[in-house]
Amino acid sequence: MGKVAVAFAAAAVVAACSVAGVMVRRRVKSRRKWRSVVEILKELEEGCDTPVGRLRQVVDAMAVEMHAGLASEGGSKLKMLLTFVHHLPQGTEKGTYYALHLGGTYFRILRVLLGGERSYLDVQDVERHPIPSHLMNSTSEVLFNFLAFSLERFIEKEGDGSSSQGVKRELAFTFSFPVKHSSISSGVLIKWTKGFEISEMVGKDIAECLQVALNRRGLDMHVAVLVNDTVGALSLGYYHDPDTVVAVVFGTGSNACYLERTDAIIKSQGLLTTSGSMVVNMEWGNFWSSHLPRTSYDIDLDAESSNPNDMGFEKMISGMYLGDIVRRVILRMSQESDIFGPSSSLLSEPYVLRTNSVSAMHEDDTPELQEVARILKDLGVAEVPLKVRKLVVKVCDVVTRRAGRLAAAGIAGILKKIGRDGGGGITSGRSRSEIQMQKRTVVAVEGGLYMNYTMFREYMEEALVEILGEDVSQYVVVKAMEDGSSIGSALLVASLQS
């Protein structure tokens, strides 16, 4: 019996050692897998790093490209488009005006009632609707017939429900795509962005397309102004605060405009304005510099996009793309390791992860990160441990931090160009004493990314202080403009009538 007991004991020891060996191998394998995703995160952090020195290089590059874009057509990736807006609203405008805004993922209609002083601005009957996806690659006739029909329905809701035949209405058309203007009320489409692909519209006069559609429906409405969304935001900002000289939109896409001296617009010498200045639409989404921190995820996203080698800056900082950069990082992690469980086919679908979901995960303050778990489950990734959810939050943070800080560098680049960065600007021709007298500068900002994503906003504003320094940044005020692109364009129409 003793020998049998010894044999059993020996067998038990062997079995225990075998089990222990398996468990050890599993732990080692698990650690290796975890180490691989940590390495991916580390690589991402290094690739997205934006120390203040690098940001200042981006600032300098932006200012130089602005100068080149003003000097000659095609002289820069920044188009620096003339808007023919050289008078901004003063606050004395009166009357009722309408605005239609065609943006990246929505369109908006509103009516503005002005009473002749800044305190009397009544925004009425705002309607906001998603753009039906089929319209984004339809025809110009289908798209503008839809917009005209929407305006007709909007007007029919006024007063007693009648369409008020015989009443001439002045309309501002905010069009958030690159346009080459020939006047404040006309301009041809240069190219589509933000997923629109109606090729036969390129080169057509956008205001005329809308006017024809309105006439077709019998609407007595005049397209009086055609402006970019940034110009609308600048207009509203200036209406409330005349120190507003820059406007930026961070939404589905991103763009900026600013007030430039006409004598600095070298490519249009001889262009005279009574004000001596004009709003310039930068189309800064296409800005590029070797100083921008580009990763393999950015390269792949660009190559697989509908506009490769185009809009490089926008693809790093705007709402359309941030979610897909995060998705690509998570996908690679899931391919390198099984920490996300069985492979999810959804993770391979471009743009399946939207930036609003990234925001929700990034700002999830529940103890177990339940919102992160919910969104991952929607992506086909279920039951991941808390440490994996924390990893996803970190990915969101790295991508968004880079976006916010680059956005700040873009704004600082504009301030440098116009001499509002404390350094005198590029070829400003100002004396040292003038440079030392820092002016108060207001930057109007609009767009869902800025308005709704707290961490993006905080990273941007924090970096702007870093870049400019405390002494200068105290004179730079960033102001949010709710519906600025629409309200501001209506104000521009009013300024033309006054």
Side-chain angles (χ1 to χ4, degrees):
M1 293 295 292
K3 290 182 178 180
V4 172
V6 169
F8 271 120
V13 169
V14 170
C17 289
S18 177
V19 169
V22 169
M23 292 179 67
V24 168
R25 284 194 295 275
R26 283 179 178 172
R27 285 199 194 99
V28 170
K29 188 177 181 181
S30 176
R31 286 196 193 103
R32 284 174 182 163
K33 288 178 178 178
W34 181 252
R35 195 177 300 128
S36 70
V37 296
V38 170
E39 283 299 315
I40 291 171
L41 177 62
K42 183 180 177 182
E43 177 188 274
L44 178 71
E45 288 178 308
E46 291 172 352
C48 291
D49 193 26
T50 49
V52 70
R54 186 172 202 167
L55 291 179
R56 287 187 176 130
Q57 290 174 319
V58 174
V59 169
D60 292 342
M62 178 68 81
V64 168
E65 288 295 310
M66 290 173 69
H67 187 67
L70 291 173
S72 63
E73 292 291 352
S76 165
K77 275 187 168 291
L78 296 178
K79 294 190 179 297
M80 306 300 285
L81 300 171
L82 306 186
T83 65
F84 293 87
V85 175
H86 47 82
H87 285 290
L88 291 166
Q90 302 296 312
T92 57
E93 293 77 12
K94 295 180 180 180
T96 300
Y97 303 93
Y98 297 78
L100 167 67
H101 180 190
L102 181 65
T105 54
Y106 64 91
F107 72 95
R108 186 164 53 223
I109 305 172
L110 54 80
R111 184 173 63 251
V112 175
L113 180 61
L114 302 172
E117 53 188 59
R118 283 191 172 87
S119 60
Y120 195 99
L121 192 165
D122 185 13
V123 182
Q124 303 175 325
D125 301 331
V126 181
E127 289 187 2
R128 177 179 168 130
H129 304 282
I131 298 169
S133 57
H134 72 275
L135 293 180
M136 298 173 73
N137 56 7
S138 57
T139 66
S140 59
E141 186 174 344
V142 170
L143 174 63
F144 284 100
N145 279 349
F146 173 79
L147 295 176
F149 173 70
S150 301
L151 275 165
E152 184 177 40
R153 289 183 59 190
F154 181 84
I155 291 169
E156 285 174 349
K157 295 176 183 177
E158 293 181 358
D160 59 1
S162 68
S163 59
S164 302
Q165 292 294 327
V167 177
K168 189 74 171 181
R169 294 175 174 83
E170 297 293 322
L171 174 69
F173 187 19
T174 307
F175 187 71
S176 303
F177 304 91
V179 168
K180 183 175 178 60
H181 281 263
S182 53
S183 72
I184 193 173
S185 60
S186 61
V188 299
L189 175 65
I190 297 174
K191 65 178 179 180
W192 285 110
T193 57
K194 308 169 194 172
F196 276 77
E197 296 181 39
I198 308 175
S199 58
E200 47 96 5
M201 271 191 66
V202 175
K204 285 188 176 180
D205 188 312
I206 300 304
E208 185 180 338
C209 287
L210 179 58
Q211 189 67 65
V212 168
L214 294 172
N215 295 344
R216 192 181 295 125
R217 299 204 70 86
L219 287 175
D220 196 5
M221 182 170 267
H222 173 232
V223 182
V225 158
L226 174 69
V227 294
N228 185 267
D229 51 353
T230 58
V231 179
L234 179 64
S235 174
L236 180 61
Y238 191 91
Y239 180 86
H240 288 302
D241 190 332
D243 284 334
T244 305
V245 294
V246 178
V248 191
V249 171
F250 298 109
T252 303
S254 183
N255 191 19
C257 74
Y258 72 105
L259 198 59
E260 180 62 274
R261 302 189 328 268
T262 49
D263 62 2
I265 309 174
I266 301 169
K267 64 183 178 183
S268 295
Q269 283 297 334
L271 177 68
L272 298 176
T273 66
T274 55
S275 66
S277 60
M278 180 182 288
V279 178
V280 173
N281 170 17
M282 292 174 60
E283 289 298 332
W284 84 351
N286 207 36
F287 167 69
W288 188 253
S289 164
S290 61
H291 300 299
L292 291 172
R294 201 182 196 201
T295 68
S296 61
Y297 308 103
D298 301 300
I299 293 169
D300 291 344
L301 183 151
D302 178 58
E304 295 167 21
S305 69
S306 60
N307 55 344
N309 300 313
D310 198 16
M311 309 304 286
F313 191 50
E314 180 172 272
K315 287 171 180 172
M316 287 185 170
I317 65 172
S318 77
M320 182 170 179
Y321 301 102
L322 297 187
D324 205 56
I325 297 171
V326 171
R327 177 195 67 82
R328 288 171 183 273
V329 178
I330 295 173
L331 175 62
R332 184 182 165 198
M333 287 178 168
S334 72
Q335 291 169 338
E336 297 271 334
S337 167
D338 61 0
I339 65 167
F340 288 97
S343 178
S344 167
S345 59
L346 275 176
L347 273 178
S348 297
E349 291 186 20
Y351 304 102
V352 69
L353 181 61
R354 308 298 290 268
T355 299
N356 58 353
S357 295
V358 170
S359 170
M361 291 193 293
H362 192 184
E363 297 172 356
D364 185 356
D365 58 1
T366 60
E368 296 297 313
L369 296 177
Q370 286 127 334
E371 189 65 11
V372 177
R374 182 190 67 77
I375 292 169
L376 288 177
K377 187 176 180 181
D378 289 344
L379 293 172
V381 179
E383 305 301 327
V384 294
L386 183 59
K387 72 173 185 177
V388 175
R389 281 173 253 161
K390 288 180 177 178
L391 181 74
V392 170
V393 172
K394 183 62 179 175
V395 172
C396 295
D397 184 71
V398 172
V399 172
T400 301
R401 185 173 189 269
R402 180 186 69 168
R405 290 174 68 80
L406 289 179
I411 293 171
I414 301 173
L415 299 181
K416 183 179 181 67
K417 166 64 183 70
I418 61 176
R420 300 288 187 110
D421 70 329
I426 290 184
T427 63
S428 66
R430 299 193 301 162
S431 68
R432 182 175 298 275
S433 61
E434 288 177 310
I435 291 171
Q436 289 171 347
M437 293 174 61
Q438 182 67 33
K439 294 180 180 178
R440 179 176 179 271
T441 300
V442 177
V443 179
V445 184
E446 192 194 22
L449 182 64
Y450 179 83
M451 296 290 191
N452 303 324
Y453 197 162
T454 303
M455 292 305 297
F456 172 86
R457 185 167 64 247
E458 289 181 358
Y459 279 138
M460 188 199 88
E461 293 173 356
E462 174 187 86
L464 195 56
V465 174
E466 268 187 70
I467 295 166
L468 297 175
E470 293 285 350
D471 290 345
V472 174
S473 63
Q474 64 180 311
Y475 295 100
V476 177
V477 182
V478 177
K479 283 190 178 181
M481 293 290 129
E482 189 72 38
D483 282 336
S485 53
S486 304
I487 301 169
S489 61
L491 293 174
L492 281 174
V493 177
S495 70
L496 293 176
Q497 310 299 315
S498 61

